Every structure is written in C-alpha cells, then in structure tokens.
Amino acid sequence: MIATHLGAGALLSQVCRRAAVTQLIHRNDDLEAEKYGLIEENNALAAENAKLRLEAQAHAQEARTQRSTVHSIYQIVSEGAGEPGDWNGAEPVRKAFEALQADNRELRRQLASMRAA
C-alpha cells in the first residue's frame, strides 16, 4: 500500500463535517424548542375549547329555560289556548296587559260611581 498525503483537503473536509454536525445539532435544538412551544399552545387551546364548550352548554340551557318561560307566559296570557309560536315577541303579553289595565280603569270608575251614590 502506498501512503498518500491528503493534506489541506482532508482537514477542510473534516472541518466542514464538524460544522455541518454542529449546524444540525443547533437546528435540532431549535425544532425541539418549537415543538414544546407548540405543545404548550395546543394545551392552552384545548383548555379554552373545553371552557367554550361549557359556556355553550350553559347558553343552551338558558335558551331552553327562556323558551319554556315564554311558552308558560303565552299559556297564561291566552288562558290555556296557547300561541302557535314565540315569534310574536311581547305583543300577546302587551295586549293582555292593556286589556287588564282597561278592566282596572273600568272597575275603578264603577267603584267611584258607587261611592258617590
């Protein structure tokens, strides 16, 4: 076997390999840090998602309660006949209240005339 002198080329190649390995190690460290940051962000988003789901469930329950309350009010106002839906808003209640106010005024007028007699 004949000995050959690799000289500066071999040294340069070794320096390049070390630089490449060092660069890969730094890149790996950067990616690991990014991974842990994304894991933390994912955990925070999962917690927020769970919180929002609970809020949505609470809002849905409130809506069911409101619908039930409006239905009960419509049943009372219509004396059991009910309303076909709640799209009339407060109008049935307003009409019933106005009718009660008119009855009240009439009864007060009759009472005043009875007292005067």
Side-chain angles (χ1 to χ4, degrees):
M1 186 172 203
I2 302 175
T4 58
H5 177 63
L6 299 176
L11 185 59
L12 183 60
S13 176
Q14 192 177 21
V15 169
C16 287
R17 274 186 270 151
R18 279 191 195 136
V21 168
T22 302
Q23 191 176 22
L24 288 172
I25 289 170
H26 288 303
R27 179 67 179 142
N28 186 53
D29 291 344
D30 292 344
L31 290 172
E32 283 288 319
E34 184 180 348
K35 176 181 86 172
Y36 289 121
L38 290 172
I39 288 171
E40 285 182 29
E41 183 180 351
N42 185 45
N43 290 340
L45 289 172
E48 184 178 359
N49 185 10
K51 177 185 157 206
L52 291 173
R53 284 179 184 270
L54 287 174
E55 284 182 30
Q57 289 173 352
H59 290 304
Q61 180 59 43
E62 289 172 9
R64 285 190 293 274
T65 300
Q66 184 271 342
R67 254 191 313 277
S68 175
T69 301
V70 169
H71 176 74
S72 296
I73 291 170
Y74 279 4
Q75 288 294 316
I76 292 167
V77 167
S78 66
E79 297 176 348
E83 283 282 323
D86 63 359
W87 51 82
N88 293 318
E91 192 58 32
V93 175
R94 185 178 296 117
K95 285 180 181 178
F97 188 74
E98 288 170 356
L100 289 172
Q101 284 180 319
D103 288 347
N104 187 308
R105 282 191 297 273
E106 177 58 25
L107 289 172
R108 286 179 184 269
R109 187 194 64 72
Q110 288 176 9
L111 180 63
S113 68
M114 289 171 63
R115 284 184 180 160

